[in-house]
Amino acid sequence: MIWAWRIAYRIKEHIKYTWLLLTLFYILQESLRKITTTLALKNDEITNFICCLKQSLENLEGNSSRVQEDLETEFSSLHSVLDELRDSMVTRIKQERASHTYELQSQLSACSKALESSEELLEVANQTLCSSEADDFTQAAKDIKDSVTMAPAFRLSLKAKASDSMSHMMVDFTQEREMLQAIKFLPVPATPEILVSECQVCDNTVTVQWALPEPDTKIDHYDLEHRRTNYEGPPRAREDYPWMVVEGIRETAYTLTGLRFDTRYMTFRVKACNKAVAGEFSELVTLETHAFLFKLDAGSSHQNLKVEDLSVEWDSCGGKIIQDIRKDKNRTNQSPMHSPARTAMNSPKRVPSARVGRDRFTAESYTVLGDTFIDAGQQYWEVRFDKESKAFAVGLALRNLGRFDQLGKSNASWCIHLNNWLHQSLTAKHNNKARALDCPIPDRIGVYCNYEEGALSFYNARTKTLMHTFRTKFTQPVIPAFSVWNGSFSVQTGLQVPSVVQSGQRKNSGTSSSNASLT
């Protein structure tokens, strides 16, 4: 007995020791796995930073060559202007000299001729004074008097017609020389800073606000760039989306409107520009753009529904086409699970549909589901539908909605239903109970879901007027659901909950619903 007890004790101790070793091994393994993950992330960050540095070096070379070429071009242009100005001024000096030369030479020639005529007249007068004959003297004196009266020498102006001075053509480039010596590189505008606390994201609009370190009256405008991304950290060497540019902003704030938030974040940067040069971009700022984004699950749709992206159209021939496709697939032994719709990447809440092949909605359940479940938070989406459709419904459904179940006919779905068969009616349906809605039929409906509060509301998407609200308690994830017969519709996702809807929901959160009988 003692021997058996010792063996049992040793086995027990060995098992305990082995368990401790396994526990230690597991702890070390988990620690090593975390270290490996951290190192991999750090390596990815360093690799991304190295790519950014290499790109910066390439950009530096290109930018340096470009500004050097621009500088040489500017100096060449300046030299050309100076050469043209010099040639123009030299030409003016030559023209002025030629004009003065012509005037002085003309006046000199006239004076020379007058002097020659005056000397001849003086000689004749002297000869006449020496004459002894009275009659000849009298006549000669009279002729000399008349000649002197008409002599050119007495009609000449003895004032020069042109000056020999060229002082009016002198130049003084002292001021211009100082200006040339003061030439330097243009002052680059300071780098703005995006004020994160002042930025707003709501109603699918983003307002970005920024400021300069110091006021600068020479700023002409700002250029804002934004890019969609799914990464919150520093920029990556290769992003999935390009930069979008908004130029010529005159204020220090800008609002982007009409956005569809199909990524988790948006990254922004801004730079200031004067008349000639742009400054550096601001530090990147990433803002979260939360919105409910989903697609339609073509694998769940009724065979008479033609699903393309976020649009659905009734196709009366769809059943025959599907049967032909199934026959082709059976011949090739290809499973529906291998179709492109099944191999697409799923989001964290995107669960592959369990409805494949014969599990599609069938019979009179002309239904298609979204591909993303709602298990928390507030979500909003809109659907535009053909008001001439024979029947249309939009709402939410549980995961276990039967393939024969029509929306609103069981306790697994809630919807608003439009009926154009025989007479037109708009009703709210749940668990095979209906309530007629006394409101105009819109062409676009907004759907709001607050999972925690158990609220499902329908709005006129254009006026944001409340049409109906279901009050319930969701015990499992729900999924967007749609149904159409002899018509069509399209879904718009990536929308935030409108502010007016949130405000109305807060006001009604403490009141009881008039539609409780349907829940």
Side-chain angles (χ1 to χ4, degrees), residues 310-330:
L310 290 172
S311 299
V312 175
E313 185 177 359
W314 167 266
D315 184 4
S316 59
C317 299
K320 183 178 184 303
I321 294 175
I322 294 295
Q323 291 174 3
D324 293 341
I325 292 175
R326 286 177 180 172
K327 291 179 181 179
D328 293 338
K329 288 184 176 181
N330 290 333

Side-chain angles (χ1 to χ4, degrees), residues 15-211:
I15 292 174
K16 184 186 295 185
Y17 179 73
T18 303
W19 182 82
L20 289 175
L21 288 178
L22 290 175
T23 303
L24 179 61
F25 175 78
Y26 176 76
I27 294 174
L28 292 175
Q29 189 181 40
E30 286 298 316
S31 177
L32 184 59
R33 186 178 290 110
K34 291 181 180 179
I35 292 174
T36 303
T37 303
T38 303
L39 288 176
L41 292 175
K42 179 57 67 176
N43 289 344
D44 186 48
E45 291 181 2
I46 294 175
T47 302
N48 182 49
F49 184 63
I50 290 175
C51 292
C52 293
L53 288 178
K54 290 181 178 179
Q55 185 65 43
S56 297
L57 287 173
E58 294 179 3
N59 294 342
L60 178 61
E61 291 296 327
N63 292 336
S64 299
S65 300
R66 178 178 56 81
V67 296
Q68 185 174 347
E69 291 175 359
D70 292 345
L71 180 64
E72 293 176 354
T73 300
E74 290 296 327
F75 270 101
S76 297
S77 176
L78 186 58
H79 289 156
S80 299
V81 171
L82 291 175
D83 290 340
E84 292 176 1
L85 183 60
R86 180 195 60 193
D87 294 341
S88 174
M89 297 181 74
V90 168
T91 300
R92 287 185 58 190
I93 291 175
K94 291 180 179 180
Q95 291 175 348
E96 192 77 6
R97 182 183 64 186
S99 176
H100 285 201
T101 299
Y102 175 78
E103 293 290 340
L104 291 175
Q105 285 182 346
S106 297
Q107 193 174 14
L108 177 62
S109 176
C111 289
S112 297
K113 291 179 180 180
L115 178 61
E116 182 180 353
S117 175
S118 179
E119 288 178 348
E120 292 176 355
L121 187 60
L122 178 60
E123 184 178 355
V124 171
N126 289 330
Q127 292 176 357
T128 301
L129 288 174
C130 296
S131 176
S132 57
E133 296 180 3
D135 295 337
D136 294 337
F137 178 80
T138 301
Q139 185 60 40
K142 184 178 178 181
D143 293 340
I144 291 172
K145 181 180 179 182
D146 293 338
S147 297
V148 169
T149 303
M150 300 299 295
F154 292 96
R155 298 198 304 270
L156 284 175
S157 172
L158 298 181
K159 182 179 180 181
K161 293 182 177 181
S163 172
D164 60 350
S165 173
M166 294 292 287
S167 59
H168 63 288
M169 304 297 291
M170 296 294 292
V171 295
D172 182 9
F173 288 152
T174 301
Q175 184 177 359
E176 288 77 5
R177 190 178 295 108
E178 291 177 353
M179 292 177 61
L180 289 174
Q181 290 174 346
I183 289 178
K184 57 184 179 181
F185 293 107
L186 287 171
V188 178
T191 303
E193 178 185 0
I194 296 180
L195 307 176
V196 181
S197 60
E198 302 296 329
C199 297
Q200 294 183 353
V201 181
C202 64
D203 295 338
N204 283 86
T205 66
V206 179
T207 299
V208 185
Q209 190 165 344
W210 59 88

Side-chain angles (χ1 to χ4, degrees), residues 495-509:
L495 301 177
Q496 293 185 306
V497 180
S499 300
V500 63
V501 171
Q502 286 185 329
S503 176
Q505 288 292 326
R506 282 194 294 268
K507 291 180 180 178
N508 297 329
S509 62

Side-chain angles (χ1 to χ4, degrees), residues 471-483:
R471 297 287 181 184
T472 185
K473 182 178 181 181
F474 297 123
T475 58
Q476 56 180 293
V478 290
I479 192 168
F482 310 86
S483 177

